[in-house]
Amino acid sequence: MENYMWHVALEPGTTKLQDVIIAKIAIAEYDTLCLLLGSRHLVGKQYGDEKGGYVLLHAAEYKRPYPSVMVWRFRRVGEEKFIEDMRQEDAWILEHIWRNWLMPEETDEEYVPPKQFLVMERG
């Protein structure tokens, strides 16, 4: 099942977030995700609590700071996890991703949010 995810990266040569790309893709489409992240191997980590949260995916060849991250929302029902569409109210996660994934551990830079969200449709 496909869900809307967000692709988050920095503007080249800056510490500012570029426009967030919104695309509908299944988290299980491993080959496509590898292609989009420019990787042969992916690493996923969860951020959240017992009710749900986010799955953050990046190329395994890199260490922090990562060149880009894909993020999906999930909710937990009992022992099962269900991927859901990212929503505008999830925008708070962008600063967390910027600070903890896209930037070096030690930085004095100030967070600059993206200018816009762009929807990418597959044909």
Side-chain angles (χ1 to χ4, degrees), residues 109-121:
E109 297 295 329
E110 187 174 324
Y111 172 70
V112 176
K115 293 178 186 161
Q116 59 187 340
F117 289 73
L118 301 174
V119 178
M120 184 177 90
E121 296 290 333

Side-chain angles (χ1 to χ4, degrees), residues 45-48 52-56 71-74 86 89-93:
K45 296 189 180 178
Q46 293 180 17
Y47 179 76
Y54 302 91
V55 175
L56 304 167
V71 57
W72 284 263
R73 162 191 272 277
F74 78 91
M86 292 294 291
E89 62 259 27
D90 296 316
W92 68 268
I93 194 77

Side-chain angles (χ1 to χ4, degrees), residues 33-104:
L33 298 174
C34 284
L35 180 68
L36 292 172
L37 287 171
S39 177
R40 295 180 132 184
H41 305 286
L42 304 176
V43 175
K45 296 189 180 178
Q46 293 180 17
Y47 179 76
D49 61 23
E50 66 280 347
K51 294 179 184 176
Y54 302 91
V55 175
L56 304 167
L57 194 65
H58 65 83
E61 293 87 349
Y62 297 96
K63 294 186 184 219
R64 183 180 175 179
Y66 303 106
S68 65
V69 174
M70 289 182 175
V71 57
W72 284 263
R73 162 191 272 277
F74 78 91
R75 73 180 156 84
R76 189 180 314 231
V77 178
E79 295 297 314
E80 293 189 69
K81 297 174 190 163
F82 298 93
I83 299 294
E84 299 180 331
D85 291 336
M86 292 294 291
R87 300 179 288 208
Q88 199 61 40
E89 62 259 27
D90 296 316
W92 68 268
I93 194 77
L94 295 174
E95 184 171 357
H96 172 80
I97 292 169
W98 176 83
R99 188 167 309 287
N100 296 289
W101 295 70
L102 301 177
M103 295 299 294

